[in-house]
Structures are given as C-alpha cells and as structure tokens.
Amino acid sequence: MNLMIESRLRELVQEYGNTTVQDAMSYSLLSGGKRVRPRLLLSLLADYGVDLYQGLNQACALEMIHTYSLVHDDLPAMDNDDFRRFKPTNHKVYGEGMAILAGDGLLTAAFTTLAKADTVSAATQMKTVEILARNAGAHGMILGQELDIVDNIGSVEALIQCYEMKTGCLFAAALEMAVVIAGKDDLQDTARTLGLKLGVAFQYQDDILEVTKTSDEIGKSHLSDGEREKSTIVTLLGLKRAQNATEGLFKEIKVLLDRLDLNGTELQKLIEEMIARDL
C-alpha cells in the first residue's frame, strides 16, 4: 500500500516540471511522512473489497492537502518551526515566499488530482471533491488552524473543537471518501464521527509526545507548543490525565469500529498502529 502511494505521489508531482516551486513541492511531499490519511482511505477500501486503484488519486489528494498545511503551518507567521519529518522545514530550505507557493501548489494539485480520478463514476467523483473541499476548507481544517492561531482555548471542550477541525477533518475526509467510493453512502456519518475522534486522539498523542520525547525521536521541534505557551491537553489536564483521556478516546473509537463491523480488518490494524504510534 505504501509503495502504491509513494509511486503515485511521485508521478503526480513530477507533472509540474522542473521549476523551483516543483522542487519545493517535492521536497515536502516526498519527505517520507507516515501517510496516515491515504492509508486510512485505502485500508477501508480494502476492507470493503474495493480495488485500491479506485481510490488512489483521492488518497494522494488527501496527502497533498495535508502536506500543504504542514508547509504553511511551519512558516514564521504561524508556528515558526525549523524541522519537520527529521528535515529542515520548507521555508528554511527554499525561503518563505517559495514555501508559500509550494503550499499553494500542493493545494491546487490536490483538486487537479481528484479531477483525474476517472476510476469512479462522475457522481462519486463530485462527492469526493465536495468531501475534501468541505473538510479542508474554512469550515474544516482551516477553521481549526484559525482556532489554533488565535489560541483562545481555556477548556478541554474548546481544545477538542480545535483538534476536530485541525486534524480530525482530514481523517474524516479519508473515511468519508472511502465509504462513498465503496458505494456505502449510508455509513458516511459514522465514518465522519470515527475520523473526528481519531483526529483528536492523534493530536492528544502529539501533545503528550512533545513532553515525553526528544526532537530526534519525533522528528520536529521539541516542546514547540510549550515554548509558545499554547494550550494542549497536557497543559489543561496534566500528563497523567491527558494519557487517560487519550486512552478513553481510543476506547470510543473501538466502539465505532464495532458499529461498522470492522474488527480484525486493515483499518483496525492501522488504528492499532496509531494507538501504539508504530507508524
């Protein structure tokens, strides 16, 4: 599965020719990330017995959106981070202006990629465009980024809202697109709920890792949120209660997997890897 994703991402980004922007896009897109979002989509398709190539472009579009968000998130105007995926961040290599353009290029490339997804019907193709745009847009991931930047978060409830939008929405997009491609539109709401909860749990893990691991272990700036005095599940609850809250979320996620009859499946195996962060 990972080889499929990497190969297709490389093909897609190479279509943009030999320019500095393309180099910057490739630098971040092909830097060996976990590929959690495309793997969520393809794992659920595998569980439903759908040919993975039917969702490969959609999976790659998701990764493009995710990578563009990281490139912009690392910029001095936002989180001002120096390292991502064990490498210098995009703007440290190519400069701020080129990093902005690389992010813009990946965002627009994602929807070009969806437009090329002719392995599904036109109606299904349009649904996947809507799903990705809704989850990545101003009512989804971008809203989460806004809440993160404003950082007027004084409660766990407010933090959950931020994390649902900032991280959960792209997880939800992966699972929503998978059920639509599989012709199981009636499961879209449950898939969305699963994705949002998984995103919050994943973000809780990030908060915990920032205070329990080193920069070398997590591959990005260590204690960056703490240094910026941003609210996290650890600052709100303390480490032990934060760990308990994360465990509780994963229990809820397992209940949703039961509801979708997805025990012992590829999706469950991937989620178990995420729980253990064995990615």
Side-chain angles (χ1 to χ4, degrees):
M1 188 180 295
N2 275 15
L3 288 176
M4 288 177 62
I5 295 167
E6 297 300 329
S7 177
R8 185 60 178 148
L9 284 172
R10 191 173 299 278
E11 289 174 358
L12 288 164
V13 76
Q14 285 176 347
E15 293 177 3
Y16 292 92
N18 186 22
T19 66
T20 303
V21 169
Q22 191 267 354
D23 286 345
M25 290 165 65
S26 297
Y27 177 80
S28 293
L29 185 64
L30 304 178
S31 64
K34 302 179 188 75
R35 311 306 191 203
V36 172
R37 291 148 192 83
R39 289 173 64 195
L40 283 170
L41 193 159
L42 295 180
S43 292
L44 188 49
L45 286 185
D47 293 337
Y48 288 138
V50 178
D51 183 348
L52 298 189
Y53 284 98
Q54 288 194 43
L56 186 56
N57 267 30
Q58 293 87 342
C60 290
L62 260 173
E63 190 65 14
M64 289 175 172
I65 293 285
H66 173 56
T67 304
Y68 116 75
S69 75
L70 298 182
V71 172
H72 283 186
D73 199 43
D74 290 335
L75 288 166
M78 294 184 72
D79 281 355
N80 193 26
D81 278 324
D82 294 340
F83 292 94
R84 171 75 64 179
R85 295 173 175 172
F86 302 98
K87 296 168 61 177
T89 47
N90 198 291
H91 68 275
K92 287 292 181 179
V93 177
Y94 293 94
E96 291 181 42
M98 202 59 64
I100 292 169
L101 292 179
D104 293 344
L106 289 166
L107 169 59
T108 49
F111 289 97
T112 302
T113 299
L114 285 183
K116 294 177 179 178
D118 56 3
T119 54
V120 296
S121 70
T124 297
Q125 187 180 41
M126 287 305 298
K127 284 183 181 179
T128 61
V129 170
E130 185 278 329
I131 289 167
L132 187 56
R134 167 169 47 82
N135 280 292
H139 292 292
M141 182 187 70
I142 290 175
L143 175 58
Q145 294 283 31
E146 176 190 337
L147 296 172
D148 190 44
I149 290 172
V150 173
D151 194 25
N152 187 24
I153 296 171
S155 67
V156 173
E157 292 74 21
L159 188 70
I160 288 172
Q161 181 190 14
C162 174
Y163 286 173
E164 282 184 341
M165 300 295 103
K166 179 181 176 180
T167 302
C169 274
L170 286 195
F171 286 179
L175 300 177
E176 285 186 67
M177 285 198 287
V179 296
V180 166
I181 293 167
K184 297 180 180 291
D185 299 45
D186 58 310
L187 297 178
Q188 194 173 337
D189 287 344
T190 305
R192 176 170 180 77
T193 300
L194 175 58
L196 294 178
K197 286 185 179 293
L198 191 58
V200 174
F202 196 81
Q203 196 66 53
Y204 280 6
Q205 285 182 314
D206 270 357
D207 291 347
I208 292 167
L209 288 171
E210 282 202 347
V211 299
T212 60
K213 300 292 184 181
T214 67
S215 298
D216 288 342
E217 288 174 310
I218 62 176
K220 59 182 180 180
S221 300
H222 183 231
L223 295 176
S224 56
D225 284 342
E227 289 167 354
R228 289 189 293 271
E229 298 183 346
K230 293 179 68 173
S231 297
T232 70
I233 195 62
V234 176
T235 65
L236 290 172
L237 295 182
L239 179 59
K240 182 60 178 176
R241 290 176 64 199
Q243 290 170 329
N244 290 339
T246 306
E247 290 174 8
L249 265 178
F250 278 120
K251 288 179 181 177
E252 293 178 27
I253 287 164
K254 289 177 181 177
V255 170
L256 287 171
L257 286 173
D258 285 338
R259 193 175 300 170
L260 289 167
D261 195 24
L262 290 172
N263 277 308
T265 62
E266 290 300 317
L267 180 61
Q268 186 192 31
K269 291 174 187 175
L270 175 55
I271 290 175
E272 292 290 347
E273 289 179 25
M274 293 170 70
I275 292 173
R277 274 297 173 96
D278 183 21
L279 291 164

